[in-house]
Amino acid sequence: MVKRFVFVSSWWQHSANLASYEQQDAHEFFIALLDAIHEKEDVTRNGSKGNDGDCQCIAHKVFYGLLRSDVTCMACGFTSTTYDPFLDISLNLNINISLSEKGKKLRKQNEDDNMSTLLGCLDLFTRPEKLGPDQKLYCQNCQERQNSLKQMSIRKLPLVLTLHVKRFEHSFVKKLSRKIDRYLQFPFSLDMTPYLSSSILRARYGNRIFNFGGDESETFSKFEIFAVVTHSGTLESGHYVSFVRLKKQWYRCDDAWITEVDEAIVRASQCYMIFYVQKTLFNNANEDLSHLPTSPGREVFIPIAGCC
């Protein structure tokens, strides 16, 4: 209990906005924690904060990735490209469609409007989006503001891919907030190749061969799930539970209580954050843990001394 109080107290000093006993958001805490690790480790090493891409702190070594944003003028076809770093990717839940593996055409996954798929959410994230008339961007070629298409893709994948599902909606126009309880079907093995910049551009330009400056993301585009954060309850009141995968066994972490659970329990959960690790690292980690004994039963574990 004392150790937990020290951690909470020190954390509140770093993030005053989280300093209360009210319910806090798990995703907000995750980002704030990585930012704190980055600040502390980078200042200790260099005496000042470095750029994200060059930072050697553990947070950026593990979670750092790079997004590519292409904005194409609909009048002349000129494309402006920018790159933005990310530690996680936030996905909308308002679809139930996915890319087919062969034809790359959108197809309906199911007729249930209360169900979405993770692949469908990734499709939506990387799908070309027509910007509205109030979002006209200046075209360097036309020398004036024009209607544009915007498309996101992933230029560089991290070692650990963190996907955040947007379950909390806020409408400033209607002055309403709500939680989205829609079920999300997510795979345990995930191939991110269709969402890489190289794949997006090849599809856009008729599968021509491009030089992407030595980007090796396609070599490490296969991931395995190893953790899921879930949320139950309402917008005003709820509870977070984590599921963690060790070898082939899943564990449910609910406050101080850790129990073994079946894979079906994880698949049926209302996921809020999903953590994938590169497949090669996942396989290597399992080989290193192969000597550890496995529990014969479903008993409860309390590995943190002093927790209540």
Side-chain angles (χ1 to χ4, degrees):
M1 178 67 74
V2 174
K3 291 181 179 180
R4 185 171 63 176
F5 175 78
V6 171
F7 172 77
V8 173
S9 177
S10 62
W11 181 251
W12 284 354
Q13 292 179 24
H14 178 270
S15 300
N17 60 312
L18 301 178
S20 71
Y21 287 97
E22 298 178 356
Q23 177 176 305
Q24 304 294 345
D25 181 67
H27 177 245
E28 183 180 355
F29 172 76
F30 170 75
I31 295 300
L33 182 61
L34 291 187
D35 183 62
I37 294 173
H38 167 67
E39 289 184 0
K40 180 67 175 179
E41 189 171 341
D42 208 39
V43 169
T44 301
R45 289 186 178 187
N46 307 319
S48 61
K49 294 178 66 176
N51 296 325
D52 291 346
D54 301 325
C55 181
Q56 295 300 306
C57 77
I58 187 64
H60 283 92
K61 277 186 175 181
V62 174
F63 297 98
Y64 173 82
L66 200 62
L67 291 175
R68 172 176 173 139
S69 174
D70 291 327
V71 178
T72 303
C73 174
M74 296 180 66
C76 71
F78 177 81
T79 298
S80 174
T81 301
T82 57
Y83 296 95
D84 295 301
F86 71 88
L87 297 177
D88 72 308
I89 298 177
S90 294
L91 301 174
N92 288 315
L93 251 181
N94 57 345
I95 60 169
N96 58 356
I97 50 180
S98 167
L99 271 180
S100 61
E101 288 297 321
K102 296 182 180 180
K104 302 295 187 292
K105 295 180 180 180
L106 293 174
R107 61 184 173 86
K108 203 166 186 179
Q109 283 282 13
N110 54 73
E111 299 297 329
D112 187 358
D113 289 337
N114 293 320
M115 176 177 169
S116 294
T117 67
L118 183 63
L119 297 185
C121 295
L122 287 168
D123 289 344
L124 179 64
F125 181 77
T126 56
R127 189 188 310 170
E129 173 191 5
K130 184 178 180 179
L131 301 179
D134 58 335
Q135 297 177 297
K136 287 186 176 182
L137 299 180
Y138 182 80
C139 174
Q140 298 178 22
N141 188 52
C142 297
Q143 297 292 304
E144 63 177 315
R145 293 184 178 276
Q146 299 282 16
N147 291 323
S148 305
L149 284 175
K150 180 179 181 179
Q151 186 169 25
M152 301 295 297
S153 59
I154 301 175
R155 178 66 173 81
K156 176 181 174 58
L157 285 164
L159 296 178
V160 173
L161 177 65
T162 305
L163 301 177
H164 162 237
V165 182
K166 296 180 181 179
R167 289 198 176 274
F168 304 108
E169 271 190 345
H170 306 280
S171 174
F172 295 101
V173 177
K174 298 181 180 180
K175 297 182 179 180
L176 294 175
S177 298
R178 71 185 183 102
K179 182 196 170 187
I180 305 174
D181 289 320
R182 177 176 298 172
Y183 173 70
L184 176 68
Q185 184 184 66
F186 53 94
F188 280 17
S189 297
L190 178 64
D191 186 357
M192 291 295 292
T193 302
Y195 313 107
L196 296 179
S197 299
S198 53
S199 300
I200 296 291
L201 292 179
R202 287 191 184 102
R204 185 190 303 169
Y205 296 108
N207 290 322
R208 299 173 188 171
I209 299 177
F210 289 87
N211 182 7
F212 294 96
D215 185 5
E216 299 178 349
S217 292
E218 290 187 57
T219 308
F220 306 100
S221 60
K222 292 180 173 55
F223 288 78
E224 288 290 326
I225 196 170
F226 76 94
V228 178
V229 176
T230 70
H231 181 273
S232 59
T234 64
L235 181 66
E236 295 79 15
S237 177
H239 184 61
Y240 291 101
V241 170
S242 298
F243 293 97
V244 180
R245 186 183 186 186
L246 182 61
K247 296 170 67 175
K248 294 184 179 181
Q249 179 60 54
W250 282 95
Y251 297 87
R252 184 177 190 267
C253 305
D254 187 355
D255 292 335
W257 301 99
I258 301 178
T259 55
E260 292 183 8
V261 295
D262 294 328
E263 178 182 300
I265 299 297
V266 181
R267 292 188 182 276
S269 64
Q270 190 176 98
C271 61
Y272 181 57
M273 297 180 69
I274 313 174
F275 296 83
Y276 289 92
V277 63
Q278 285 188 7
K279 192 178 184 69
T280 53
L281 296 178
F282 179 84
N283 293 337
N284 291 338
N286 282 337
E287 290 177 3
D288 293 339
L289 293 172
S290 60
H291 66 281
L292 295 179
T294 56
S295 173
R298 301 286 183 182
E299 65 268 24
V300 176
F301 298 88
I302 312 178
I304 307 175
C307 286
C308 59

